[in-house]
Amino acid sequence: MRLSPVGADSLLVDLDTPEEAQAWHARILHRRSAGRLVPVREIVPGEKTVLLYGIGDADAMAAELRQWSVPPLAADSGPLIEIPVRYDGADLPAVADLWGVTQDEVARIHSTTHHRVAFCGFAPGFAYLLGLEERCHVPRKAEPRTSVPAGSVALAGPYTGIYPRASPGGWQLIGTTDLRLWDMERDPAATLSPGTRVRFVPQPASESTKRSKATTQGRTKGERHHA
């Protein structure tokens, strides 16, 4: 763990892995909710960092953090949200090829993985979820799309993300959800927040998607048979 001052009243906690950052973020939140933390205005997790913004006494906070020993998060810690998803994404065949499995197996692996929100960014309501094994990490698309539909479930690197609104994007699209991820009329507006556990629940695909998937998988099997 490394500490760096940010301005006069903020600290950046720099960790070695995303998992460590999640554990430190959870510990800081717990200490603050219990009233056992130096006053801080905002706590913002990143990929491998936690930013403490607006600290009442930055020196006292730094001295306290240096004394901590933070264990990994328990697998069942944090709230759980179930997200219904149709595995009908345009890049599902490409992801299946990258993983070396069928499209149905992509859906099975993804939906049985324990996901957790590491941090949020890019757009309001967009959460970066970790959980997939390294063998399932995929590259971004070489040419990003000019518009990705809202509700698209997508993969890039180690992350799963869900587009809360239509926007440009270069992630691999594997599915779709109707769940609303950002709503200014709610409190909080975001459905997903750092530390939240996520379980994707497969839903029936449309008939057109089923026909397309069957055709693609049949062609892929034939190609592999002749390889």
Side-chain angles (χ1 to χ4, degrees):
M1 187 274 291
R2 296 161 296 280
L3 296 175
S4 302
V6 180
D9 64 351
S10 303
L11 284 173
L12 185 69
V13 184
D14 188 14
L15 291 312
D16 292 327
T17 67
E19 291 75 19
E20 285 184 74
Q22 291 181 57
W24 274 79
H25 177 245
R27 172 61 65 87
I28 291 169
L29 289 180
H30 176 74
R31 297 274 296 196
R32 183 171 71 168
S33 65
R36 296 186 288 127
L37 188 71
V38 174
V40 56
R41 190 180 314 157
E42 194 170 357
I43 301 168
V44 184
E47 183 177 25
K48 298 180 184 179
T49 61
V50 182
L51 175 64
L52 306 177
Y53 174 74
I55 304 171
D57 187 337
D59 290 337
M61 176 72 85
E64 179 178 344
L65 295 178
R66 289 191 178 98
Q67 297 177 23
W68 288 10
S69 177
V70 179
L73 280 177
D76 60 352
S77 65
L80 173 65
I81 289 180
E82 293 190 343
I83 296 180
V85 57
R86 297 181 299 278
Y87 286 95
D88 57 2
D91 300 315
L92 189 62
V95 171
D97 284 344
L98 287 168
W99 288 10
V101 300
T102 65
Q103 294 176 50
D104 287 338
E105 184 68 1
V106 170
R108 188 197 67 78
I109 292 171
H110 189 260
S111 63
T112 56
T113 294
H114 298 283
H115 303 267
R116 186 186 296 273
V117 179
F119 58 96
C120 298
F122 170 63
F126 190 98
Y128 291 76
L129 282 64
L130 285 173
L132 287 172
E133 296 181 2
E134 186 173 356
R135 66 185 180 87
C136 295
H137 298 178
V138 298
R140 287 173 169 80
K141 295 183 69 64
E143 295 186 12
R145 292 179 170 88
T146 56
S147 182
V148 174
S152 294
V153 179
L155 307 180
Y159 297 107
T160 295
I162 308 170
Y163 287 78
R165 62 185 183 189
S167 62
W171 290 32
Q172 307 276 0
L173 309 185
I174 63 168
T176 310
T177 182
D178 295 325
L179 185 68
R180 189 165 186 151
L181 298 172
W182 179 260
D183 185 349
M184 289 295 292
E185 301 300 318
R186 295 186 315 212
D187 185 19
T191 299
L192 301 176
S193 59
T196 301
R197 294 179 294 136
V198 175
R199 178 183 299 134
F200 289 96
V201 181
Q203 304 296 300
S206 66
E207 287 303 317
S208 60
T209 301
K210 289 178 182 177
R211 287 194 295 270
S212 175
K213 183 186 294 187
T215 300
T216 303
Q217 290 188 343
R219 184 171 60 249
T220 301
K221 288 178 180 178
E223 290 170 350
R224 287 176 180 168
H225 178 74
H226 293 294

